[in-house]
Amino acid sequence: MSALHSTICTVRILDPMYKAFFNLTRNPFDLTPDPSCFVSTRRHNEALAALYYGVRWHKGFVVVTGEVGTGKTLLLRCLLRLLKDSKDIAYAYIFNGRLSPTEFLQYILSDFGLPASGKNKSELLLDLGQFLVSRGAKKLTTVLIIDEAHHLSEDILEEIRLLSNLETVDDKLLQIVLVGQPELDDKLDSLGLRQLKQRIALRAQLVPLDAGDTTEYIEKRLQIAGADLHANPIFPAETVAAVYQHSKGLPRLINTICENALIAAYARQLHAVTAEIIADVAREFRLDTCGRDAERTGRSAEIDVHHATNILLDIFSSLRSPGVKESGLDTVVAADRSEHEPHI
């Protein structure tokens, strides 16, 4: 265990003291997706607006995709908070898509408060259909929200498409929100799911933050936690630049780096986090391994090319040796086959 890791493990026990040291009222970089810590970048605002608009105005299918750590689950938590404030909305929230079609339907009905145990698929569909029709007649909104939707099988995605057939002449009875990693886009682009893809009314994509957004993200997170942004900065500009370099703009990694950097700075009794601390934390969490792997791959490729070149030169040299007649292409090919074919 490294010295930094040992220090971090020890100082976590003194969390209240660490917050007091930096004059904070809460942990600014907690990994828990808390809507009160939502930082509204342009992309996140667009995605949240698409989700809420799609649900509120009964658009049917809404899809949001983004890489790991871009804030998809936090975005959904913000949507759920908005929906809870609306008395006319009921939703089922699924975060585990590794289910059979029947289990999937049972989960939905249970989340809507309907009895589902022991019922077969046709019974489940009948009950769900009656539930949606009843709510639709009262002008109520019903939503199916699926996180980690990239894990859904094609069978489940087809079941979801069939559920979207439940509609009136002018309205969708079930609003469906799919949120997942870019693999979800790949699935929806497949030939077998083209009917579902054509029904998507709104799409949004979350991407990593740029350098400017990263600065704003860190400042707003600190502000939410009670930091005085007019005082000497806890994360100076060069430190933020180091955070961006190692996190690649992914909010989850920004949180991880910054939280552990604050703890390390407190352990050293520093009121400002240095770029060196960020580098130490990045090494501790092995955030620089990708670069080293790529470098090793590059060196390995150079060695392989050099080795292959030497083999070819040896072959060419042997073909020009006195024992081999230079009688044109046929002779060269024959010599090459006879000597090296057994090793292929």
Side-chain angles (χ1 to χ4, degrees):
M1 181 182 292
S2 71
L4 176 63
H5 183 69
S6 178
T7 300
I8 288 173
C9 290
T10 302
V11 177
R12 281 189 190 281
I13 303 172
L14 307 176
D15 184 49
M17 295 176 63
Y18 130 66
K19 287 186 289 192
F21 182 78
F22 291 105
N23 295 316
L24 303 173
T25 57
R26 59 176 295 167
N27 183 348
F29 301 106
D30 195 349
L31 289 176
T32 304
D34 182 354
S36 63
C37 294
F38 179 67
V39 176
S40 55
T41 67
R42 180 180 64 85
R43 285 283 190 173
H44 286 79
N45 281 342
E46 290 175 355
L48 184 56
L51 288 171
Y52 188 72
Y53 175 79
V55 169
R56 258 290 170 219
W57 276 264
H58 294 194
K59 293 299 180 179
F61 269 107
V62 184
V63 174
V64 175
T65 55
E67 263 299 347
V68 176
T70 49
K72 299 183 297 298
T73 300
L74 176 56
L75 197 70
L76 274 184
R77 294 287 177 86
C78 292
L79 175 66
L80 293 178
R81 175 172 287 188
L82 291 172
L83 298 184
K84 284 179 180 178
D85 293 337
S86 303
K87 304 301 182 183
D88 62 327
I89 295 179
Y91 63 82
Y93 176 46
I94 296 179
F95 52 87
N96 182 359
R98 298 185 182 277
L99 303 167
S100 70
T102 300
E103 290 171 335
F104 180 74
L105 291 171
Q106 288 174 333
Y107 196 117
I108 294 173
L109 266 70
S110 294
D111 224 24
F112 280 135
L114 302 174
S117 179
K119 294 187 177 182
N120 59 37
K121 185 178 176 181
S122 60
E123 291 171 332
L124 294 168
L125 287 171
L126 182 61
D127 288 351
L128 179 59
Q130 290 174 345
F131 175 73
L132 294 175
V133 169
S134 173
R135 288 185 58 82
K138 300 173 186 175
K139 303 299 181 183
L140 300 175
T141 300
T142 312
V143 192
L144 172 60
I145 301 171
I146 305 175
D147 197 2
E148 304 288 337
H150 53 280
H151 288 311
L152 296 175
S153 65
E154 286 202 11
D155 287 343
I156 296 291
L157 287 168
E158 179 61 12
E159 290 290 343
I160 293 171
R161 182 189 71 81
L162 293 173
L163 289 178
S164 71
N165 288 334
L166 293 167
E167 57 187 6
T168 62
V169 175
D170 55 358
D171 202 10
K172 298 284 186 181
L173 295 179
L174 181 64
Q175 315 312 311
I176 300 170
V177 174
L178 301 179
V179 177
Q181 294 173 20
E183 294 92 317
L184 176 60
D185 286 327
D186 296 336
K187 285 187 176 182
L188 295 175
D189 286 339
S190 66
L191 185 63
L193 294 173
R194 63 189 183 279
Q195 292 186 67
L196 189 155
K197 182 180 178 180
Q198 291 175 6
R199 298 188 181 201
I200 297 171
L202 295 166
R203 295 186 82 147
Q205 184 179 22
L206 291 180
V207 297
L209 308 180
D210 60 23
D213 284 338
T214 299
T215 300
E216 182 182 2
Y217 180 88
I218 292 174
E219 288 179 350
K220 286 191 175 180
R221 279 276 186 159
L222 288 168
Q223 190 175 26
I224 291 169
D228 182 3
L229 297 184
H230 299 292
N232 291 330
I234 299 174
F235 286 82
E238 63 273 14
T239 303
V240 173
V243 173
Y244 176 68
Q245 175 191 348
H246 291 290
S247 69
K248 304 297 187 292
L250 294 170
R252 183 181 295 161
L253 288 183
I254 293 173
N255 290 345
T256 298
I257 292 171
C258 289
E259 179 183 15
N260 286 276
L262 284 174
I263 294 172
Y266 167 65
R268 303 175 192 184
Q269 294 295 287
L270 299 175
H271 285 278
V273 177
T274 64
E276 290 74 17
I277 289 178
I278 300 300
D280 288 345
V281 171
R283 278 193 295 272
E284 186 68 31
F285 283 88
R286 300 179 59 78
L287 299 180
D288 54 349
T289 55
C290 292
R292 290 206 302 269
D293 288 344
E295 186 179 339
R296 283 197 295 267
T297 301
R299 286 200 301 267
S300 176
E302 286 184 15
I303 293 171
D304 288 344
V305 170
H306 184 66
H307 182 60
T309 302
N310 285 338
I311 291 175
L312 289 173
L313 288 173
D314 289 343
I315 293 172
F316 182 72
S317 176
S318 68
L319 294 177
R320 295 186 62 84
S321 64
V324 179
K325 294 182 180 181
E326 297 184 21
S327 56
L329 181 62
D330 291 341
T331 304
V332 173
V333 172
D336 186 31
R337 282 178 180 168
S338 60
E339 185 176 351
H340 299 284
E341 202 168 53
H343 303 292
I344 297 176

